[in-house]
Amino acid sequence: MRFGETVIIIFIIVLALATVWGQKTKKSWLIYSLIALYAVTLVQMMVGNLRWQMIPCYAASVILTICIVFRKQERRQRSRKRRYTVAWLWTAMLILYSAVMVVLPVLLPVFTFNQPQGPYSVGTTLYHFIDNERPDEYSADPTDHRELMVQLWYPSDQAPTQEPVPYIRDVSAITQGLEHALSFPAWTLSHLGLVKTHAYSNIGLSSAEQQYPILIFSHGMTGFRGQNTFQVEELASYGYIVVGIDHPYDAAATVYPDGREILIRMPNPSGFEALDEHMHLWTEDVSFVLDQLEQLNKQDEQNLFTGRLDLDRIGMFGHSYGGAAAAQMLLKDDRIKAAINMDGTLYGDPMPGTGLTKPYLQMNGEKSIDKTVFDNKLDQAIAQSGKTKEEYKEFWEETVRRRTNALQGGGYTMTIPHTSHMSFTDFHLFSPLLPNPGEDPRSVHRIINEVSVAFFDQYLKGASNNAMDRIAEKYPDIELVHN
């Protein structure tokens, strides 16, 4: 809950108690207090913006106005016992109403991200890339081509003189897509447009180094390019240029500069055969973006990145299907030197018998790889999908087999206690209802960030070869293992 919202709630409760119990309190004092409440509320609306979770508070101001304006002095002949009975009834109602005022903004907060820990401040900018070599296979217009929205986060040593960019720029479109990922109605997430980041639009790239290594980020199905803001800002603050891609039709929403919106295509592909085949679309997106970065390094119209991209030091990381895309790009494209897969089942082309021989880290949610958790949810999954128990058993075995094959060439695995699939995104900050029992999302994010920085520092920046070993010693519970 934000500071201004807390002040309003406390003000309302105190004024309501004074109205109920302060029979000797002058009506004029209550009216002056009411005016002060309206002033504080107006300031909060102007500075902090309106959000629907505060409607009970705004309504409480109106209710208090009616109660105070029409308040009459207590008649003397009414017994003290009856006065106290009435007062306690009003107090009980106030307690219930106060609970509603507090619970809504607490359960759906305007949260903040932890301050990035690296030495740089963070800049960000957007690019709109059109691949004229690929048609848009999902468009009704055969002349349309594949269009991508790409966001870059980068290190800066410029002191920001502006407000940081919002977490979600196109909140109406994105929340419609997130409804499928989180099972929250879109309107309940409208306040995400009020969340601020630690990145500043189009500030200068740091001059501390001539060129900076690049990290590609790929979201999960139903996600969006900014879904791991906790992580991309941290990596940028440590001297990486992070490139987030919206994969149209599979992202929650893709919004183009001219206002066109492509919402997520439902239902998503499902099953190994369909998702293996679909992967080519995502890897082609990433390869195209890598081509565009090469052009950007030659000539950037925004004059931010010309000659500043280190194309020999490129890594990739992703969540879920995006994590699988990172593993596929590590396998297929020589430009990708190291990759992190965050809880992604390995869809796409089969891994060779040698597995992935370049630096690779498989992050696992504890509940994602726990067969007991899988079995406990099996009956519910069968009822919802209509698939058989045997089909689910085959799915589990194939998932394990693919994960094992990828690690034949070495690589790291990591499992964070109490985590599940969405623990590797920002999403568990959206509401205290979402984290798993025993999970502290901010602690999980801190571990993910430290491991990510250590991994890419070791394999892209040539840092100490025991950087990952030090992390494993620092966090013995995360089971960080070099296979």
Side-chain angles (χ1 to χ4, degrees):
M1 198 185 321
R2 295 177 292 179
F3 176 74
E5 296 170 351
T6 302
V7 170
I8 291 173
I9 290 173
I10 293 174
F11 207 141
I12 288 171
I13 293 172
V14 171
L15 186 53
L17 288 172
T19 304
V20 171
W21 289 97
Q23 292 302 319
K24 295 182 179 180
T25 304
K26 291 184 179 180
K27 186 175 181 178
S28 59
W29 184 91
L30 295 175
I31 290 176
Y32 291 143
S33 299
L34 192 64
I35 293 171
L37 172 61
Y38 274 98
V40 171
T41 303
L42 183 62
V43 169
Q44 191 275 330
M45 288 179 174
M46 295 172 62
V47 175
N49 295 331
L50 291 167
R51 64 180 183 123
W52 70 265
Q53 292 89 346
M54 290 295 289
I55 288 176
C57 295
Y58 305 143
S61 300
V62 176
I63 295 169
L64 274 174
T65 301
I66 296 171
C67 292
I68 291 172
V69 168
F70 294 99
R71 181 175 184 264
K72 294 181 179 180
Q73 197 69 29
E74 188 70 45
R75 296 178 183 177
R76 289 185 178 179
Q77 63 265 33
R78 180 176 290 180
S79 70
R80 176 177 294 183
K81 181 179 179 181
R82 184 177 178 187
R83 290 201 305 268
Y84 274 100
T85 300
V86 172
W88 277 114
L89 286 173
W90 278 105
T91 302
M93 293 173 63
L94 174 61
I95 291 171
L96 292 174
Y97 196 89
S98 298
V100 175
M101 288 194 296
V102 171
V103 164
L104 285 177
V106 166
L107 291 184
L108 293 166
V110 179
F111 63 89
T112 58
F113 289 102
N114 289 339
Q115 183 71 35
Q117 297 301 297
Y120 299 99
S121 54
V122 180
T124 188
T125 191
L126 279 173
Y127 288 90
H128 175 213
F129 295 144
I130 302 175
D131 188 349
N132 292 313
E133 301 299 318
R134 286 193 297 160
D136 184 343
E137 58 188 81
Y138 297 111
S139 173
D141 187 342
T143 64
D144 285 346
H145 291 85
R146 184 77 168 168
E147 298 182 50
L148 302 178
M149 290 305 300
V150 175
Q151 184 168 358
L152 275 67
W153 293 264
Y154 54 89
S156 176
D157 45 26
Q158 182 177 326
T161 58
Q162 55 185 285
E163 286 290 310
V165 298
Y167 175 49
I168 298 178
R169 301 167 190 251
D170 307 290
V171 68
S172 176
I174 295 295
T175 52
Q176 288 183 60
L178 289 180
E179 185 172 304
H180 299 289
L182 299 175
S183 300
F184 274 50
W187 64 270
T188 66
L189 300 173
S190 59
H191 65 289
L192 293 179
L194 303 177
V195 174
K196 298 293 184 183
T197 67
H198 295 289
Y200 299 87
S201 181
N202 295 309
I203 60 176
L205 178 64
S206 172
S207 58
E209 297 182 32
Q210 178 56 41
Q211 292 186 320
Y212 290 93
I214 302 162
L215 298 175
I216 307 296
F217 173 70
S218 191
H219 60 76
M221 285 279 189
T222 73
F224 60 103
R225 64 176 184 265
Q227 68 164 55
N228 279 51
T229 290
F230 82 91
Q231 187 179 22
V232 298
E233 290 188 342
E234 183 78 359
L235 288 162
S237 79
Y238 275 97
Y240 291 93
I241 295 174
V242 185
V243 183
I245 306 169
D246 273 335
H247 297 279
Y249 301 98
D250 295 320
T254 305
V255 182
Y256 298 112
D258 60 7
R260 285 176 298 132
E261 298 178 356
I262 293 181
L263 297 182
I264 186 170
R265 176 177 53 94
M266 297 299 290
N268 293 128
S270 64
F272 278 110
E273 183 177 352
L275 287 167
D276 286 345
E277 173 62 26
H278 188 70
M279 180 56 70
H280 79 88
L281 183 65
W282 284 44
T283 54
E284 288 173 4
D285 283 349
V286 178
S287 294
F288 170 66
V289 168
L290 290 173
D291 294 340
Q292 294 304 111
L293 292 176
E294 292 174 358
Q295 297 302 313
L296 206 62
N297 199 43
K298 294 176 181 177
Q299 182 60 55
D300 177 15
E301 293 181 358
Q302 296 191 39
N303 201 31
L304 278 172
F305 303 109
T306 303
R308 307 298 304 280
L309 304 176
D310 192 335
L311 300 172
D312 293 323
R313 294 189 294 170
I314 303 177
M316 184 170 175
F317 64 109
H319 170 250
S320 192
Y321 201 69
Q328 286 289 306
M329 291 301 297
L330 191 65
L331 177 67
K332 294 180 176 182
D333 197 314
D334 290 338
R335 291 174 291 184
I336 302 296
K337 302 298 192 294
I340 298 176
N341 175 0
M342 294 183 287
D343 209 46
T345 299
L346 287 162
Y347 297 108
D349 290 347
M351 292 291 164
T354 56
L356 292 168
T357 55
K358 290 188 283 186
Y360 174 69
L361 168 58
Q362 173 76 51
M363 293 185 179
N364 301 312
E366 184 180 57
K367 296 182 181 300
S368 302
I369 61 172
D370 188 334
K371 184 64 161 54
T372 302
V373 174
F374 179 81
D375 290 339
N376 288 341
K377 294 182 177 180
L378 199 54
D379 290 340
Q380 180 182 356
I382 291 172
Q384 291 177 345
S385 68
K387 295 181 179 179
T388 66
K389 188 174 183 178
E390 187 62 30
E391 286 176 310
Y392 275 105
K393 181 181 178 182
E394 292 174 0
F395 171 81
W396 177 267
E397 292 174 350
E398 178 66 9
T399 299
V400 173
R401 186 186 68 80
R402 292 186 178 204
R403 189 164 56 238
T404 302
N405 287 350
L407 294 165
Q408 291 299 311
Y412 293 88
T413 57
M414 182 186 82
T415 305
I416 304 177
H418 310 298
T419 55
S420 57
H421 193 57
M422 289 301 181
S423 301
F424 296 86
T425 69
D426 301 330
F427 295 166
H428 282 186
L429 296 175
F430 290 5
S431 171
L433 297 174
L434 293 174
N436 303 293
E439 177 190 357
D440 177 358
R442 294 188 185 276
S443 294
V444 171
H445 289 171
R446 184 180 67 252
I447 293 170
I448 292 171
N449 284 343
E450 289 190 38
V451 173
S452 300
V453 170
F455 178 80
F456 286 123
D457 277 359
Q458 183 167 318
Y459 293 107
L460 293 184
K461 290 186 176 182
S464 167
N465 287 335
N466 62 357
M468 292 291 282
D469 293 336
R470 289 197 300 270
I471 293 291
E473 292 173 4
K474 182 177 179 180
Y475 298 107
D477 291 343
I478 67 175
E479 301 178 23
L480 179 58
V481 179
H482 195 185
N483 294 276

